Amino acid sequence: MIVDKRKKRISFPSLMVLLLLVNSGVLIRSLRVDKRLESSHSVHVSRETSNIQDFLSHAPIIIRNNTALASTAISGTGAANDPYIISGWNITSSPTHGIYITGTTQYFRVENCWITHSMKHGIFIDNVALNTTNLVNNICYSNAGGGISIRYSKYTTITNNTCYNNYLAGITLNESSSSSTLTNNICNNNGYGITIFTSPYPILVNNTCNTNGNGIYLYYSTSATLNINTCNKNDECGITLENSAGSTLTNNTCNENVECGVTLEQCGGSTLTNNTCNSNENGIYGYRISYSTLTNNICCENDGGGMTLEQSRDPTLTNNTCNNNNDYGIALEYSDGSALTNNSCNTNGNGIALSNSNSTTLANNTCNHNSDCGVILDISNYSTLVNNSCNENANYGIILDHSGFSSLLTNLCHGNRNGISILNSGFSSLNKNQLNNNIQSGITVKNSISAVVINNLFFNDGLDVSQSSKKELLSYKVINNKVNGLRLGYFENLSDSAITQTSYGPYGQLILINCNRTLVKDQNCSNTFIGIALYYCHTIQVVNSRCDNNQNEGIDISNSSSSTLTDNICNSNGNSGIHGYGSSSSIMVNNTCNSNGQDGIIFHDSNALIISSNICTNNNQNGLSLVSSSFSNLTNNICNYNDQYGIRLDFSHNLTISGNTLNYNGAGDIYYNNSTTITLDPTKNPTGSNLSLSPVFMRFFLLLVIGLLFFLVKKRQTSV
């Protein structure tokens, strides 16, 4: 299985251009501002009471040292408790930056300025002393560079600023590390909302970054803290972190972004808690975020998946809600050692999907009502699934494919097409699982050598091992399971025995493998997968048993020669009443096989059969069918009211059909397809009303009649 996803990244050329522009602080004069810079744009954001009339017009401010800072400030002494104040200016259409400050060592605050249509940045702070910069309540919009840009300036505080319609980013920090703080800023409709490059320990709280290219973007900025930010309706992602390990994202809202709500790449050891990522292409996407923790996040109604992790070793996903996503709730690929606990993944394409992720633990997850499967593990060995609920999924509740040495314990699978399926997953164990009312099988085991099925409870479904080889069947350990309150009998290598009410007791489902000269009598194996199954057996008698309302066949005989079925009732099964394959010299006498989903009795590749005195009526296909089964006798059977044919013969030769009652079948009473040397006594089929022949047989028959007539005419002419 390959997890379907879309993983989009900012292109390397675009990132390099952005870094170059930010680092230089310069844009070439020939740059033409994007249409978003025009005042006619429909999006306009301002602080509650601000308008341009409240600001005094001022020329661009350029400060290169402490002296220029002191002379430009309207108040203050430059001390920590009395910073220089630059405030109240309207700076419009600057040919460079609106405000540019560099080379200072004293404290200053830029506040309540209105800066627009600069050809570079609105405010650019470059290489000033640490912890001296405070930017508050400024409005920077429609600038050809960014709104606010900080470079080589540590411990900067940026609060309550509004930056919109800027060509690059609303706010940028570049190599401005050591806990710079961005709080309550509004950065909408920019190239990027907020960008932070090579600036460890940034703190971003309660910022709004909507309708940008990306909402918040961090690059090589480790140990970042993002809390209560809103990043909606951005053209790419709401929040993106690259190479920013050890970051913490809490209570952020990232909805309706074109790509991902939150994207983390190469961000190991990060923590994501209580984030909401709905109605994006993908909710949360992580690439190489090993040892990260994702808890209490909500990722719903995304076009792709709720959460996707790739190449992320030992992540922990707990209490996340990932519902109503088109593709999957949670998907992990190449992520060994993952732990998924108490997650809700309902009404998705697939609930939880793991690929190439070994030693994974899934516990107490809920995966219901998905349009395909509840839980899928593909090439994910040594996994443990405990106490998960996977109900009413359209296909499988839980499926493991090529995921050997796995353990499934106390899972509940109710109302799926198939409950639990173990395919190509040898040495796996299924213990104490509950399988209820699954449409086909409760548990399917196929191509999984030495699988263990123990202490499971089935209700209105059962165990399917019908597609396993003889070697696999004999390697399975099937012990102490119950079907509809009765034991599931799994007998291997039994000889000269009797399975009756008194000897072994009643069974809810019976499976015999490689057994010889054994009698099965007086059993009621109904409302399971296959009532009674004989695989690779010889000389088995099934007598006076009832196998009704099973999802597949009532009785299945596969590679079991010389079997005898007498006086059994096999009605209303999903497929056929009695099905045989590769079971020559078998005898079917006096069985009742009515109202089955396919045929009453059907045999494939089985010669020398005796099928006599059976009642096969009201079946959805045929009463009796033989496929590639020759040298057989069909006598004295009653095959009425079947939707297709009373008797159908395909590629079957040297048959004797005699004394059968064939009435009121939908397509005809007898149908021959590539079947020759049929001995049919019409006098012993008095109620038969139609003879249906295949086109090939009809052409052959017509040519035979024409040839006979031609011969008779020639003979008459010769005699005259």
Side-chain angles (χ1 to χ4, degrees):
M1 178 196 70
I2 301 299
V3 176
D4 182 23
K5 61 192 177 297
R6 292 187 187 179
K7 181 182 70 176
K8 297 187 178 180
R9 309 179 186 181
I10 299 172
S11 66
F12 184 75
S14 299
L15 183 59
M16 291 300 100
V17 169
L18 181 61
L19 282 168
L20 177 62
L21 295 175
V22 170
N23 278 328
S24 66
V26 176
L27 293 174
I28 57 174
R29 290 298 183 95
S30 61
L31 176 65
R32 292 294 178 260
V33 179
D34 188 90
K35 289 184 179 180
R36 78 180 70 203
L37 305 184
E38 300 300 324
S39 60
S40 62
H41 197 283
S42 60
V43 177
H44 182 80
V45 181
S46 63
R47 289 294 177 183
E48 294 178 358
T49 59
S50 297
N51 59 71
I52 197 167
Q53 289 80 12
D54 298 331
F55 300 85
L56 297 176
S57 181
H58 196 284
I61 294 173
I62 309 297
I63 296 172
R64 300 185 183 277
N65 50 52
N66 290 335
T67 301
L69 178 61
S71 64
T72 303
I74 61 172
S75 64
T77 62
N81 61 352
D82 186 26
Y84 289 121
I85 304 297
I86 299 172
S87 177
W89 303 122
N90 167 20
I91 302 172
T92 302
S93 301
S94 169
T96 57
H97 307 290
I99 296 175
Y100 175 58
I101 301 175
T102 186
T104 62
T105 59
Q106 295 179 301
Y107 293 88
F108 65 90
R109 183 166 71 241
V110 178
E111 63 182 15
N112 298 319
C113 290
W114 182 292
I115 304 170
T116 180
H117 289 91
S118 298
M119 288 303 296
K120 296 180 182 177
H121 300 300
I123 298 173
F124 185 30
I125 309 300
D126 182 24
N127 198 23
V128 301
L130 62 84
N131 201 30
T132 61
T133 302
N134 192 351
L135 307 179
V136 184
N137 289 325
N138 300 288
I139 297 174
C140 301
Y141 76 94
S142 296
N143 297 289
I148 296 171
S149 184
I150 311 295
R151 184 175 65 174
Y152 306 139
S153 303
K154 299 179 181 180
Y155 292 102
T156 298
T157 301
I158 304 172
T159 307
N160 291 325
N161 299 282
T162 299
C163 301
Y164 65 96
N165 283 16
N166 297 287
Y167 188 77
L168 294 178
I171 298 174
T172 296
L173 270 65
N174 185 25
E175 297 193 47
S176 298
S177 60
S178 301
S179 301
S180 291
T181 302
L182 288 78
T183 307
N184 295 322
N185 300 287
I186 297 175
C187 298
N188 294 342
N189 208 52
N190 305 283
Y192 293 72
I194 295 173
T195 58
I196 300 179
F197 301 101
T198 322
S199 300
Y201 304 100
I203 300 171
L204 290 80
V205 179
N206 203 35
N207 300 286
T208 299
C209 300
N210 298 333
T211 62
N212 304 284
N214 276 281
I216 296 174
Y217 180 81
L218 277 66
Y219 185 73
Y220 278 98
S221 298
T222 57
S223 302
T225 299
L226 288 79
N227 187 25
I228 324 178
N229 300 288
T230 300
C231 301
N232 297 334
K233 298 183 178 180
N234 296 286
D235 291 342
E236 294 184 23
C237 297
I239 296 174
T240 300
L241 278 67
E242 290 193 52
N243 299 98
S244 300
S247 295
T248 301
L249 287 75
T250 308
N251 294 312
N252 300 288
T253 300
C254 301
N255 297 334
E256 299 183 74
N257 299 285
V258 174
E259 294 180 13
C260 293
V262 174
T263 296
L264 277 69
E265 299 189 19
Q266 307 273 7
C267 297
S270 294
T271 301
L272 287 77
T273 307
N274 292 323
N275 301 287
T276 300
C277 300
N278 297 335
S279 301
N280 308 282
E281 175 62 27
N282 291 291
I284 295 175
Y285 173 76
Y287 175 73
R288 293 188 176 179
I289 60 167
S290 297
Y291 308 104
S292 293
T293 301
L294 291 80
T295 307
N296 291 321
N297 301 287
I298 298 174
C299 300
C300 298
E301 298 182 355
N302 296 286
D303 290 337
M307 291 184 176
T308 306
L309 273 62
E310 287 188 80
Q311 298 187 37
S312 301
R313 185 175 180 84
D314 295 312
T316 300
L317 289 76
T318 307
N319 292 324
N320 300 289
T321 300
C322 301
N323 298 334
N324 297 298
N325 299 288
N326 285 348
D327 287 346
Y328 46 80
I330 297 174
L332 277 66
E333 192 168 8
Y334 295 101
S335 298
D336 293 347
S338 303
L340 287 76
T341 307
N342 290 322
N343 300 288
S344 175
C345 299
N346 301 324
T347 326
N348 306 286
N350 290 292
I352 297 175
L354 276 64
S355 177
N356 294 282
S357 299
N358 299 311
S359 302
T360 296
T361 300
L362 284 75
N364 299 306
N365 301 288
T366 301
C367 301
N368 298 334
H369 304 289
N370 296 288
S371 61
D372 192 4
C373 303
V375 174
I376 301 177
L377 274 67
D378 182 53
I379 318 177
S380 299
N381 299 301
Y382 300 99
S383 295
T384 301
L385 288 77
V386 180
N387 206 35
N388 301 287
S389 293
C390 301
N391 302 323
E392 298 183 6
N393 299 286
N395 202 348
Y396 297 93
I398 299 172
I399 179 169
L400 277 64
D401 192 2
H402 292 92
S403 300
F405 300 93
S406 295
S407 176
L408 288 80
L409 177 67
T410 63
N411 299 286
L412 173 63
C413 296
H414 165 82
N416 307 284
R417 183 169 177 266
N418 295 278
I420 299 175
S421 290
I422 308 298
L423 313 177
N424 308 296
S425 300
F427 301 95
S428 293
S429 173
L430 294 84
N431 189 4
K432 296 182 179 179
N433 301 286
Q434 294 187 44
L435 300 310
N436 301 333
N437 293 298
N438 295 287
I439 296 169
Q440 292 191 358
S441 64
I443 293 175
T444 296
V445 182
K446 178 183 176 184
N447 297 336
S448 300
I449 199 78
S450 298
V452 176
V453 181
I454 184 170
N455 298 319
N456 300 285
L457 299 178
F458 299 88
F459 181 76
N460 287 338
D461 52 35
L463 174 62
D464 175 19
V465 293
S466 61
Q467 300 182 66
S468 298
S469 68
K470 183 177 181 180
K471 179 181 178 181
E472 291 160 356
L473 289 166
L474 292 172
S475 75
Y476 298 158
K477 185 177 181 181
V478 181
I479 299 173
N480 201 33
N481 302 283
K482 288 191 175 182
V483 176
N484 301 323
L486 301 174
R487 289 178 297 168
L488 190 161
Y490 193 89
F491 293 94
E492 301 165 306
N493 303 314
L494 193 66
S495 296
D496 300 305
S497 298
I499 302 171
T500 68
Q501 293 283 342
T502 57
S503 60
Y504 283 89
Y507 288 92
Q509 183 181 9
L510 270 172
I511 302 172
L512 280 65
I513 302 102
N514 199 40
C515 296
N516 296 288
R517 299 177 303 280
T518 296
L519 171 66
V520 176
K521 186 178 180 182
D522 299 331
Q523 299 295 324
N524 188 344
C525 299
S526 300
N527 298 298
T528 182
F529 178 67
I530 295 173
I532 297 174
L534 312 178
Y535 301 136
Y536 303 98
C537 295
H538 183 72
T539 319
I540 304 297
Q541 296 181 64
V542 181
V543 179
N544 197 38
S545 294
R546 186 150 200 153
C547 300
D548 296 338
N549 297 300
N550 296 293
Q551 287 98 335
N552 206 274
E553 277 86 23
I555 299 176
D556 187 22
I557 308 167
S558 179
N559 297 294
S560 297
S561 61
S562 301
S563 298
T564 300
L565 277 64
T566 307
D567 297 317
N568 301 290
I569 298 174
C570 300
N571 295 336
S572 302
N573 297 286
N575 287 348
S576 299
I578 296 173
H579 173 269
Y581 175 82
S583 299
S584 296
S585 302
S586 292
I587 300 172
M588 309 288 116
V589 177
N590 204 35
N591 301 287
T592 300
C593 301
N594 298 333
S595 303
N596 295 287
Q598 295 182 5
D599 299 316
I601 298 174
I602 182 170
F603 273 80
H604 299 257
D605 299 283
S606 303
N607 299 318
L609 302 171
I610 297 175
I611 302 177
S612 180
S613 301
N614 301 285
I615 300 173
C616 300
T617 64
N618 291 299
N619 296 288
N620 286 354
Q621 293 186 9
N622 309 292
L624 299 175
S625 291
L626 297 183
V627 182
S628 300
S629 299
S630 300
F631 304 101
S632 297
N633 294 328
L634 284 70
T635 60
N636 299 315
N637 300 287
I638 298 173
C639 301
N640 298 333
Y641 298 102
N642 297 288
D643 287 357
Q644 294 187 12
Y645 300 97
I647 296 175
R648 175 166 180 151
L649 309 171
D650 293 279
F651 303 96
S652 300
H653 310 287
N654 297 294
L655 305 175
T656 297
I657 302 174
S658 176
N660 300 288
T661 300
L662 312 171
N663 283 321
Y664 309 109
N665 296 290
D669 293 328
I670 301 178
Y671 177 81
Y672 301 86
N673 177 31
N674 290 290
S675 299
T676 60
T677 318
I678 308 299
T679 301
L680 175 67
D681 185 354
T683 65
K684 295 184 179 180
N685 290 281
T687 60
S689 56
N690 295 301
L691 177 64
S692 178
L693 303 176
S694 70
V696 174
F697 190 88
M698 289 178 68
R699 286 194 295 271
F700 172 78
F701 183 76
L702 183 59
L703 289 173
L704 182 62
V705 171
I706 292 172
L708 181 60
L709 289 173
F710 181 76
F711 172 76
L712 291 174
V713 170
K714 283 290 188 180
K715 184 176 181 181
R716 182 178 180 82
Q717 289 174 349
T718 303
S719 65
V720 173

